[in-house]
Amino acid sequence: MANAADRVTRVAADLMDSAAAEGARQSRSAKQQLDHWARIGRSVSGQHSAARRKVEAALAGGVELTELSVEEGVVFNAEISAAIEESLAGTDYGTLLSARGVTIVALDDSGQIVEHRPDGSSSVLHPHR
């Protein structure tokens, strides 16, 4: 049940699916699992221990990865993975490729294959009959 302080927000589908699966194993709802993960992440991110500073230095390229402990490596990998996923989610590949002169194809909302050309024109390749 939603708390009065809860806010409506969008969550990536893969995170929601993972939260639902893990939440079921932990006797939590998907929302409760996301809250749990967020609190853990907030706590870990807020730590300014020597280990955290070492991971941040590695992320900035100032420390060799071989200098990280196994636990620091796990945090490093999680940070890199999250950064990549955020970058991928925020990139408009259609616009990027179009600017480079690349023709792309994609499914439209009705499931038809549409060719999008760099000049801004598009056409359905195999219309439904």
Side-chain angles (χ1 to χ4, degrees):
M1 185 147 118
N3 180 324
D6 286 346
R7 294 189 181 118
V8 175
T9 188
R10 301 185 98 173
V11 176
D14 65 317
L15 289 176
M16 185 57 77
D17 292 345
S18 294
E22 183 62 20
R25 284 190 288 278
Q26 300 293 329
S27 299
R28 296 182 182 118
S29 68
K31 181 205 175 303
Q32 289 168 330
Q33 187 63 41
L34 285 170
D35 288 347
H36 176 74
W37 284 341
R39 286 185 179 93
I40 291 171
R42 178 180 61 191
S43 179
V44 169
S45 292
Q47 294 296 313
H48 293 288
S49 65
R52 181 66 191 170
R53 286 190 296 276
K54 193 171 173 185
V55 169
E56 289 172 356
L59 289 166
V63 170
E64 292 293 323
L65 299 181
T66 56
E67 295 180 38
L68 299 179
S69 70
V70 172
E71 294 82 7
E72 291 164 344
V74 169
V75 174
F76 176 89
N77 288 339
E79 291 277 0
I80 292 294
S81 179
I84 290 170
E85 288 180 24
E86 290 167 9
S87 178
L88 291 173
T91 301
D92 181 350
Y93 290 100
T95 300
L96 181 69
L97 292 171
S98 179
R100 293 182 180 176
V102 176
T103 297
I104 62 169
V105 294
L107 293 177
D108 66 10
D109 292 338
S110 65
Q112 297 187 98
I113 299 172
V114 179
E115 179 181 68
H116 299 277
R117 293 176 282 284
D119 65 5
S121 63
S122 62
S123 61
V124 175
L125 294 181
H126 299 286
H128 290 299
R129 296 175 202 255

